Amino acid sequence: MRHTNYKYRENEYIKFTLWFILCIVVILFPFVLHDKSLIQDGDSFNQSFPLFVYIGQWLRACLRGEIRLFDFRLGLGDDVIHALNWHGFGDVTQILSMAVPYRYAEYAYAFVMILKLWLCGISFLIYIRRYVRHGEYRVIGALLYACSTYALGWGFNCWMFLAPMMTFPLILAGIDVICEEEDNFSNALLAGLLVQTLNGFYFLYMETLLAILYFGVKEYVILRNKISDRLKKLIRDGIRIFFVALLAVSLGAPLLIPSIAGYLQSSRTGSGQVVSIWEMIVYPLDFYRGVLSYLLIPNIYRNIFTLGYLPLIAIITVFFHRVSRNRVHRYLLLLFSLLYCIPLWGSAMNGFSYHTDRWLFAFTLIITVLAASGLDAETVLSKKEKILFYLCTCVLIILYLTDGDYYAGKSLSALIYGGIGILLPVAWNQRKKYSRLILPFAVCLIILNGLLVFCPRELGGSGYVFGFKGRGTVKKEIDRQVDSIEEVKGEFERRDMYAVSLGASLMKNFYGTTEYFSTLNGNTFEFYRNLCISPGTFGATWVLKGLDGRVELDALLSVRQVMEYTEDELESVYRYNTAYLPMGVTYQSWISLEQFEQLSPMEKEAALIKYVVLEENEERESKISVPKEVELDQSILEADKEENYTIELQNIVQDGKMLYAKEDAVIRVYLEDFCDCERGVPAKSELYVQLREMFLLDQGTADIGVGNKKIQLRNVNDDYYMGVDEFWINVTEWKSDHRGQYFDIRLPDGKGYSLEEIKVYQHEINYDAIEERKENALAHLEVGINRISGEADCAESALALFAIPYGEGWKAYVDGAEQPVYKADIGFLAIELDEGSHTVVLEYVTPGLIPGCICAVISLAALVIVYGRRRKRRITGD
């Protein structure tokens, strides 16, 4: 039954807000001290912050009547909704970005981050009301929840993880309303599900599974005391909850349906690992030890989940002094603890990909509710309970001190927590007597936990603050590297730049070749993978790191500016691409995908300039009048010349295929009879090195330097391992000594590697084929909002190739008549043109957008009817 006599009910939101401001100011003081922004040097820098800036630009464009559904600033071009929805496109708090210019975006981003944490606490207060009577204890719970290690760790890493922390308490509050028969409809459930639906389906499906578990436990607790009509109540409550959920999801369908449709053709292909059944059931013992080692004292790099003292002592109290209103959360604590220990559950919570702990927002909520409930119970610890508490404290502190590397700060934090642990049971038993001190004391514990997340290691913290960009440096770094390139006005062009944030193109309004969004068009990803460029070049899942400076690919994808590095990566080098091609070019012949796949990566590059590549399809083949090339031109097969080379190992111990690196470990590759392919204007050829069956023997990752480039190796058991063990790198910088010309492959020390073979090639660039494409390019090409147009003059039937990632949303019109769109060159689109002059138009509509809007309109009408009937019943008293 819902409690109505709440102390401080009128001002608990204000009280929470004031204490929250104090907590967050102190917890974030390390950022002020070290002059850091709240932009983490990783996902925030590459995803969250660029998207925040982009959403502001996108919304301001909408006010001008420009509703952009497809944008070339996303990777090589992608749908705005399905590529960005999972990352926050649809997050209502990001509407604030519309009012903030780019130069102040860093500060607005920080404000919205803190606003999200505050909303997490408000959402918790809405849920906790029926379980905790005292307002101050509800406020403590809200502060614990908003400043938890999950919120500070995952949230500051990528703020989309804060969305379920805001919505999940509302969903559970709505389930409570219906299950306890307070109402047949719940506004909280509707709001929570709608907000999460707009935020993306990833956490929506996760919260759905968790809500089903909660509903089952809730109904079990309620129905165990009922004698009759148990099944009837269960079905009735389930139908009511499903109806509200259907309304909420349908209202968010304009974003949900396109995001799901995009996911099905995205690059999010999961892990490259193959695991046994046993590995799906049980983690290695080190995992469980690691969880316990940081269960009390936080270290964000070792464990995202930390209890702290208040939840620990409260759990002991709640389980020894069973209060009826805590029964649901006790059962859920046991259930979630069991599931946390099973890898299969962690995998299920990540789309059955690699296992993850991102679902721990639910665990955090349950534990925080138990902490507030333990305070609210006003019971005291018995001698037996004190012994158990002290035993748990000793074990957890010992595990903390002995886990991983030791540093002096560990002793300091362990000493502080040890002292608190000695005094806490005494303070706990006296909390009724000193009730006015409970809230300040709890705030001190919350602040201590938060500080240890961000403080430097020498002070006992995890040093997480040093993983964030310096204040003001993001804009300076991006502006310095992007604004120095002069853009040719009036022409479509891309920039092959990997020197800045992978999301820089979203902020600076240029078309790039790099990106890092999990649900990018899978055709783009497949093109990069098939040509053995990034992600092969940098080996990380769903990360596009540019075209590796390859001239023919730069030409094919309309790249005009190329950014390269010197070996030390301190200075960027800009190269103007003289082999630039417009986005739309025509071909007079094509080859099959089967023919293409038999070629080496370098031969594939040469083939793409000379032919269009189409998948075999009898119906398609019968429709195309452009002749198929049965045999490949001999120049394609002779484009590569294998170089002679010798290898010198420096500071490396070799054992067959195994290499063990010491400090300054280098594989030096000397080139014999080398025809120098210096970057002229234009360069005649390119130097490639092939590393076959190369992978890391140790855990973690290793960044391998290859000349002035890098590849990233991962162990086969790493969560992000994608099965890549063959690398082709375009080496654009080499050196000379008394033995001749060489380049270095630099291995990080202290790690073991497996390497089957090294081969070196010179690849001759086919400028004649590039010129042929240029002569057959579309004229008067215009790139508009969701529309591209141009004019073609064909002496014979031809295939027009557009460097646009293939997607279901594109429709093509030739002289006003719709024409079929073909998937070409692995992941781009092509249309057929007859002999003569033509006007070509491509138009884009997001797949699923129109059905989603229809669902939303129907749902909105149903919602109006529901609220109308509810209002009528209230008036009539029925």
Side-chain angles (χ1 to χ4, degrees), residues 161-217:
F161 293 109
L162 293 175
M165 291 196 72
M166 293 186 290
T167 58
F168 195 57
L170 297 178
I171 293 171
L172 299 194
I175 292 175
D176 285 346
V177 166
I178 293 175
C179 289
E180 296 181 11
E181 299 184 340
E182 294 180 5
D183 201 339
N184 295 331
F185 191 88
S186 170
N187 292 327
L189 178 60
L190 180 75
L193 282 171
L194 175 58
V195 171
Q196 187 55 67
T197 300
L198 296 174
N199 271 274
F201 67 90
Y202 179 72
F203 282 110
L204 177 64
Y205 100 86
M206 202 180 295
E207 288 179 86
T208 300
L209 293 178
L210 292 165
I212 291 171
L213 290 179
Y214 182 85
F215 172 70
V217 173

Side-chain angles (χ1 to χ4, degrees), residues 68 134 142 167 185 205 272 372 618 677 686 717 731 763 823 863:
R68 191 178 296 274
H134 292 84
T167 58
F185 191 88
Y205 100 86
E618 290 184 8
C677 44
E686 296 170 328
N717 294 318
V731 181
H763 172 68
K823 184 178 178 181
L863 191 62

Side-chain angles (χ1 to χ4, degrees), residues 519-538:
T519 50
L520 272 180
N521 190 319
N523 292 311
T524 302
F525 178 85
E526 185 61 21
F527 176 83
Y528 278 71
R529 188 197 65 79
N530 209 287
L531 273 297
C532 289
I533 47 179
S534 62
T537 299
F538 207 71

Side-chain angles (χ1 to χ4, degrees), residues 208-341:
T208 300
L209 293 178
L210 292 165
I212 291 171
L213 290 179
Y214 182 85
F215 172 70
V217 173
K218 182 79 177 181
E219 288 287 286
Y220 169 76
V221 170
I222 294 174
L223 295 177
R224 65 182 298 183
N225 299 321
K226 282 183 171 286
I227 299 175
S228 61
D229 295 334
R230 293 181 177 179
L231 182 60
K232 183 178 178 180
K233 181 183 185 317
L234 180 68
I235 294 174
R236 184 178 65 246
D237 291 347
I239 291 174
R240 289 170 176 170
I241 291 171
F242 177 77
F243 174 72
V244 178
L246 183 63
L247 280 177
V249 171
S250 298
L251 284 170
L255 295 185
L256 180 65
I257 294 178
S259 67
I260 293 176
Y263 174 83
L264 297 176
Q265 61 173 2
S266 74
S267 58
R268 194 173 177 84
T269 53
S271 171
Q273 303 177 54
V274 177
V275 297
S276 65
I277 295 177
W278 178 251
E279 289 174 316
M280 296 169 64
I281 299 174
V282 179
Y283 286 107
L285 289 177
D286 285 347
F287 170 84
Y288 303 107
R289 189 188 191 285
V291 170
L292 293 174
S293 297
Y294 298 95
L295 200 59
L296 179 63
I297 307 174
N299 187 316
I300 210 70
Y301 288 114
R302 302 288 290 173
N303 187 18
I304 204 75
F305 185 62
T306 300
L307 285 179
Y309 266 129
L310 280 181
L312 177 63
I313 198 169
I315 288 170
I316 293 174
T317 301
V318 167
F319 272 88
F320 275 91
H321 304 272
R322 299 185 178 183
V323 181
S324 60
R325 66 176 177 274
N326 300 133
R327 192 176 293 122
V328 172
H329 302 99
R330 288 204 306 269
Y331 291 156
L332 286 170
L333 176 65
L334 295 173
L335 178 60
F336 286 173
S337 298
L338 175 63
L339 292 174
Y340 188 31
C341 295

Side-chain angles (χ1 to χ4, degrees), residues 650-682:
Q650 300 178 7
N651 302 317
I652 295 175
V653 177
Q654 184 175 13
D655 182 9
K657 300 178 184 177
M658 309 303 174
L659 305 176
Y660 299 93
K662 300 180 180 179
E663 189 175 356
D664 297 325
V666 168
I667 303 174
R668 181 155 292 177
V669 181
Y670 282 97
L671 306 169
E672 302 176 6
D673 305 321
F674 178 55
C675 177
D676 198 336
C677 44
E678 285 284 352
R679 284 287 182 201
V681 184

Side-chain angles (χ1 to χ4, degrees), residues 149-168:
T149 53
Y150 182 95
L152 299 178
W154 274 124
F156 276 56
N157 171 266
C158 208
W159 67 3
M160 60 188 174
F161 293 109
L162 293 175
M165 291 196 72
M166 293 186 290
T167 58
F168 195 57

